[in-house]
Amino acid sequence: MTSALIRPAAPWDGVTSRGELSYAQIESLMWEMEAARAQYVDETLDAAKFLGGVAKAAGWLTLEKRAELVTADFACRNGDLGTATAIAQEVGTWAERCGETYLQARSAFVLSTVAFAIGDTATTLVEGVHCVRLLEENAPLGIRIDHMLMAAVGAGAGTPEGDRWYAEVLDLALAGHDISAALVIHNNKAWHHYTVGERPEAMQHVIEMLLLSRRFAKPLKAVMLDTIARVQVLHEDFEAALHTLAPVLEEDSQIELGEPTARADCLIAAAAIHRRQENFAEAAALLDLAHHEAARGDLLASQAQVHEERALWHAAQGAFAQAFSSYVQFRALASRARSEDAQRHAHLVEAAYEVEQASRDVRRFRELAYHDPLTGLPNRRFLDEELFRMCGIAHRDGTAMSAAIVDADHFKRINDELSHERGDEVLQILGRLLEQSAGQPAVVGRLGGEEFALLLPHLGPSQVVQVCEQVCAAVREHDWSPVTGAIPVTVSIGVSTATTGSTSPGILLAGADRNLYTAKRNGRDCVVGDRGIEAAEHRPAAESGRVPGREREDANQRAVCHAPYRRPRAGAPG
């Protein structure tokens, strides 16, 4: 009797009852989950959903998306390929837009497993290679092995590309003592050589599997024992094959199957060996067990194989009429199994296609919902969500975060004296100028009307002012005459900075809005920032290279105003 295996406690066991979790703690647990996906199943899903909820509440979008991909991975394993595809495609699109390369790699990995499940080897290879190439070399070893293994499976053993991938991932697995992965690789290679009749090559991989299992006390799954036994039969070592299969044949066997059909396959393989040794009674008993196992699991292909082996069993005893009857049953069940497999594959392909179409529609509607139709820039909804995400990252990393509100000066005059069409044209040009002059890493969007916003992560106070002054200068120096004639176009900018990232989107925008009001009050065509910016940027105009202008300060803000200097009228205070 084989004893049940007891797995060690996972690092995330009991996570739902822990206290407040930091970004670093959740990130560490996510790495553990992703790297150990083959070892932990049920508990991981609940923990991933919980951690995703915590990350969402804290505004840690990257961690939230990683948790979603863990749930997609489980959905694929449980046969819910539509859900897995939808999640992976949505996260992949978001990751590409935000430059999150690791999430792109993980999305491609999930899509490759979905493609493999429906028998789409071409997509398995494309997404498998994609998930390898997007993955950074410093990713945890378990994740690198998983990704490379999907590329190898997609290419297929026996092909030059597949053999190269298998060789690379085997080296990684052995170097990192990932014995589970090494056993899978040797099993896949042994099965390939067995199916094409390459006896020495198949046996070499069997020997490697047995050595690894014994050296590291790593139990072999039933699907691996079936492969080993079949290779041993290929070498006509029947006793060794029966000894290999014995642990699986036990009624209360606790050996992990690896595939749903593994125990039925092992029973049929053992029956075939006894038939060849003319132990017909033993073979018949094993076939009865195999039939019961296949019927219980609704394994149509396995039921067909039982009838095929039973036909051979009858024929070996000279009962050709019974052999023919069993063979007819085999052909009928095999045909039905192929038909159902084809239908299942078609349904899965159709489901995946429908999900892809739905995801494409969602992405298109999302683009419409998050972009301003006039300027093509991100709109207020997008800016709100992006600022929330950026503030979360800044708070986590302790880095600076700034927001600026840009307002077109005297814009109503353009609409009133020219036309609303000219006003729209001005806004479109303004949008392009802001994007060009703000540069990276700024995010530019339109808040509404003549107001725009700049989201500026990672920049210190002086750098933020410089960027905003560049924007002011770019607008002021642009040739507006073809659009507005003699009416000038300038902008006023209010900017607010949290130097250590400890702020909220509302506080940051409120500060920028307050400073914008000061810029308007101080004569427009200005950049007004918080006092934190003053000290860093306070220097003579000639030294800074700015256009000569006038500077005003109050208790909280500093304005750099580029309007022409006006002399006081006669009688006015000097």
Side-chain angles (χ1 to χ4, degrees), residues 384-403:
D384 285 343
E385 293 185 10
E386 187 67 4
L387 182 57
F388 185 76
R389 184 184 76 87
M390 287 181 167
C391 283
I393 294 174
H395 179 71
R396 177 197 75 195
D397 297 340
T399 54
M401 183 64 212
S402 301

Side-chain angles (χ1 to χ4, degrees), residues 402 456 459-469 495 497 527 533:
S402 301
L456 301 146
L459 300 180
S462 61
Q463 293 172 300
V464 169
V465 168
Q466 289 172 5
V467 169
C468 291
E469 289 181 347
V495 59
T497 301
V527 177
I533 295 177

Side-chain angles (χ1 to χ4, degrees), residues 4 18 53 122 133 156 164 185 188 239 243 270 288 292 305 339 341 533:
R18 297 182 194 176
R133 291 179 176 168
R164 177 177 64 82
I185 295 162
N188 289 2
E239 293 305 320
H243 178 75
D288 288 341
H292 174 73
Q305 290 170 14
S339 176
D341 283 345
I533 295 177

Side-chain angles (χ1 to χ4, degrees), residues 62-114:
T62 300
L63 292 183
E64 179 190 348
K65 299 298 182 185
R66 286 176 67 173
E68 288 178 8
L69 285 177
V70 172
T71 65
D73 189 17
F74 279 100
C76 179
R77 291 203 224 175
N78 293 331
D80 189 357
L81 303 183
T83 296
T85 301
I87 294 173
Q89 288 181 338
E90 182 180 353
V91 174
T93 300
W94 179 88
E96 184 176 5
R97 189 183 75 225
C98 298
E100 294 283 357
T101 308
Y102 177 69
L103 278 172
Q104 288 180 262
R106 293 300 293 170
S107 297
F109 173 77
V110 173
L111 291 173
S112 71
T113 62
V114 170

